[in-house]
Amino acid sequence: MNTAPTEGGGRAHEGPGTDPDTDPGAGPRWLTDEEQCVWRAYRHATTLVEDHLDRQLQRDARMPHIYYGLLVQLSQSPRRRRRMTELAKDAKITRSRLSHAIARLEKNGWVRREDCPSDKRGQNAVLTDAGFEMLSRSAPGHVSAVRQAIFDRLTPEQTRQLGEIMHIVAEALQPEKSHPDADLPWLR
């Protein structure tokens, strides 16, 4: 059966043909009405959560959520330092975006760059004492915002299910090491 998206995101069936849900060469597999509702709820919720966390961190620490995440990664790294390429990979951002973020964090005195002793082309980002102090002051408000946005609204069973679902989605999208030429943000 030929299918096309409807205004509500479901499918309209237009005459005889093959079923795209069972025939991979038949064209797009449009979302069902239920899948469309779930997708829209996911997009709406994740946008609101990111906005909520960004506003809290801008208000309390004058930094966006992505910068806070970089400081957390550095604080959890040995000697509070990490190679820039690894930091970009773990943050799932381009090297250019990371470089810009680190420059802003350097300007605030929260991070410094140093040459990598094992690779003259590489650099490490290092969390400074001032950056660690800012992170320590910001963490209570941030965890409160996360709890308010997500965990205070879920039952323990829903929390467990959400964790399982997010692990399944992340595992499926995590690039395989066997794809060295994958178009990954941190390789750009």
Side-chain angles (χ1 to χ4, degrees):
M1 199 176 285
N2 293 329
T3 60
T6 64
E7 178 69 20
R11 296 180 296 174
H13 301 285
E14 299 174 352
T18 58
D19 184 351
D21 289 339
T22 57
D23 182 1
R29 288 183 52 220
W30 299 109
L31 299 179
T32 65
D33 289 342
E34 181 179 10
E35 290 168 335
Q36 188 67 248
C37 273
V38 170
W39 172 244
R40 288 179 178 173
Y42 168 82
R43 293 275 304 158
H44 188 70
T46 56
T47 300
L48 290 172
V49 167
E50 275 300 315
D51 180 64
H52 176 74
L53 298 177
D54 260 342
R55 283 184 288 118
Q56 177 271 319
L57 285 164
Q58 287 287 0
R59 182 183 63 243
D60 295 351
R62 291 182 170 63
M63 75 174 109
H65 189 218
I66 187 89
Y67 291 13
Y68 180 87
L70 295 171
L71 295 179
V72 168
Q73 285 188 55
L74 289 172
S75 76
Q76 296 172 345
S77 299
R79 297 176 31 228
R80 298 192 315 209
R81 67 183 21 86
R82 185 174 237 164
R83 287 218 31 180
M84 294 279 284
T85 53
E86 289 301 311
L87 199 55
K89 181 179 176 184
D90 290 344
K92 308 292 187 256
I93 60 176
T94 64
R95 291 182 286 189
S96 173
R97 186 170 180 199
L98 175 69
S99 185
H100 176 74
I102 294 298
R104 294 280 309 273
L105 293 168
E106 280 180 305
K107 187 176 177 181
N108 291 335
W110 299 338
V111 172
R112 74 173 185 277
R113 294 180 217 217
E114 62 182 32
D115 291 332
C116 180
S118 62
D119 179 1
K120 295 300 178 197
R121 295 177 301 156
Q123 283 192 318
N124 290 326
V126 181
L127 182 65
T128 65
D129 290 340
F132 187 78
E133 177 60 33
M134 170 53 79
L135 188 60
S136 298
R137 283 194 315 269
S138 304
H142 180 65
V143 76
S144 178
V146 169
R147 186 167 293 288
Q148 178 190 22
I150 299 173
F151 298 107
D152 288 350
R153 301 175 189 283
L154 301 178
T155 66
E157 178 62 16
Q158 289 171 323
T159 298
R160 185 189 62 71
Q161 290 172 343
L162 180 61
E164 286 178 6
I165 290 166
M166 292 296 99
H167 283 294
I168 289 168
V169 170
E171 274 185 33
L173 295 173
Q174 187 65 34
E176 301 277 336
K177 290 180 180 171
S178 61
H179 294 89
D181 50 329
D183 183 26
L184 304 171
W186 53 93
L187 297 178
R188 287 186 232 138

